[in-house]
Amino acid sequence: MTEKATDGSLQSEDWALNMEICDIINETEEGPKDAFRALRKRISGNKNFHEVVLALTVLETCVKNCGHRFHVLVASQDFIEGVLVRTILPKNNPPAVVHDKVLSLIQSWADAFRSSPDLTGVVAVYEDLRRKGLEFPMTDLDMLSPIHTPQRTVFTSETVPGQNSLGPEARQRGDLSQCPAPVPASTTVPGDTPITPTPEQIGKLRSELELVSGNVRVMSEMLTELAPTQAEPADLELLQELNRTCRAMQQRVLELIPHISNEQLTEELLMVNDNLNNVFLRHER
């Protein structure tokens, strides 16, 4: 499946397939290792840089939507240094899109995993590259990309009594049924320059807006089903996590709205913002 998602004949990313890979990683015992090995093989020494870009996108999507078992593999110093950094060495003559993508991933993961002791391999490499004077690209539309760091699976029959009070949609996707971490606060919009997103960025942004909407749906469903005096502590804790994460997401949405020079995307951002405001109002009540 990973080979299909990174096939050089693809004109652009297959987001449905990428998310299917995330599901396999989340739901199977060997999923994280199998996906990691496949992606590593696809990136290492590959001179077809279009395939490398697709593989980096799959990797990025998996880090955002999968859990700790996958993060441990990706954030290791061996992988960051031996695969990602090696890919952008001058002798390999990588195109700018690959060079910037690799540095952007290293930077965002270093920010997100800095406080996790067993995920700091990427932090060490990032700090070393900065000391050597490497310039990291500014981030733009990636600000909506939350890196999910699940602490536990909440909506499963094995872990939470009374979980059937929530609808199937809230349980079926790994990225929505687990506790997401807030978007790294260091991500910013560059200056006041309007952003004219490329088709690739538009597809990516819409994919990430779907994640925001998914979190809103889960939060709304929980608010409908849970009685404050009878709710399980784990459910209430998840609700608070969702509230914090959605507020962090809203901040990024609000920062993006005045900078996007695409009327349709602006309307979509405004709609997501309205939905966020509605669910926050219900939460406060």
Side-chain angles (χ1 to χ4, degrees):
M1 186 176 292
T2 301
E3 286 189 6
K4 187 177 177 183
T6 58
D7 192 299
S9 64
L10 288 175
Q11 295 299 308
S12 60
E13 298 88 346
D14 186 332
W15 290 107
L17 193 55
N18 292 356
M19 293 307 298
E20 198 173 336
I21 293 170
C22 293
D23 287 341
I24 293 173
I25 292 173
N26 287 326
E27 295 165 8
T28 63
E29 185 63 33
E30 294 300 315
K33 289 182 180 178
D34 289 346
F36 174 74
R37 280 195 292 262
L39 288 168
R40 180 173 186 144
K41 182 179 178 182
R42 202 54 146 176
I43 297 169
S44 295
N46 192 347
K47 297 302 182 184
N48 183 333
F49 286 111
H50 179 56
E51 289 184 353
V52 173
V53 169
L54 291 172
L56 291 172
T57 301
V58 174
L59 181 65
E60 178 183 28
T61 305
C62 292
V63 168
K64 290 173 185 174
N65 295 287
C66 300
H68 191 76
R69 291 187 303 153
F70 189 74
H71 292 169
V72 168
L73 299 171
V74 172
S76 70
Q77 190 163 346
D78 173 62
F79 176 69
I80 300 298
E81 241 173 10
V83 177
L84 295 189
V85 175
R86 183 169 293 181
T87 299
I88 60 172
L89 291 177
K91 67 177 183 180
N92 293 322
N93 195 28
V97 64
V98 172
H99 185 272
D100 288 352
K101 183 75 170 177
V102 167
L103 292 183
S104 177
L105 292 179
I106 292 174
Q107 183 178 44
S108 63
W109 296 346
D111 286 340
F113 299 146
R114 193 174 295 276
S115 59
S116 302
D118 52 348
L119 300 176
T120 52
V122 64
V123 180
V125 176
Y126 171 63
E127 298 295 353
D128 183 54
L129 293 174
R130 287 188 62 192
R131 279 194 298 272
K132 290 176 179 175
L134 204 62
E135 290 189 14
F136 284 79
M138 293 188 70
T139 50
D140 48 10
L141 297 180
D142 283 344
M143 67 176 57
L144 278 178
S145 309
I147 291 182
H148 294 271
T149 51
Q151 302 301 313
R152 66 187 187 287
T153 300
V154 177
F155 304 124
T156 66
S157 56
E158 293 82 12
T159 56
V160 179
Q163 77 289 344
N164 290 327
S165 62
L166 294 175
E169 187 181 54
R171 297 190 295 271
Q172 65 187 3
R173 298 206 67 84
D175 56 307
L176 301 184
S177 65
Q178 297 165 323
C179 297
V183 185
S186 60
T187 315
T188 57
V189 177
D192 294 320
T193 309
I195 301 171
T196 304
T198 64
E200 176 190 0
Q201 289 175 316
I202 291 173
K204 185 174 180 181
L205 178 57
R206 284 189 171 136
S207 172
E208 291 163 356
L209 286 176
E210 286 178 14
L211 291 179
V212 180
S213 297
N215 276 340
V216 171
R217 283 195 300 273
V218 175
M219 188 173 172
S220 178
E221 193 166 349
M222 291 188 74
L223 288 168
T224 299
E225 299 293 341
L226 294 180
T229 56
Q230 301 170 357
E232 293 287 334
D235 284 343
L236 292 176
E237 184 180 340
L238 174 62
L239 186 60
Q240 294 308 316
E241 283 287 337
L242 283 167
N243 183 54
R244 283 192 291 271
T245 301
C246 285
R247 288 190 182 278
M249 289 174 171
Q250 185 184 43
Q251 181 181 346
R252 306 300 181 255
V253 169
L254 291 173
E255 289 171 351
L256 262 184
I257 287 172
H259 294 275
I260 294 288
S261 58
N262 180 305
E263 188 173 338
Q264 189 173 352
L265 269 184
T266 300
E267 288 179 5
E268 292 174 30
L269 286 164
L270 289 169
M271 186 179 299
V272 168
N273 184 55
D274 287 344
N275 292 338
L276 284 163
N277 283 330
N278 289 336
V279 81
F280 293 150
L281 187 60
R282 289 184 60 200
H283 180 262
E284 288 170 7
R285 286 173 179 166

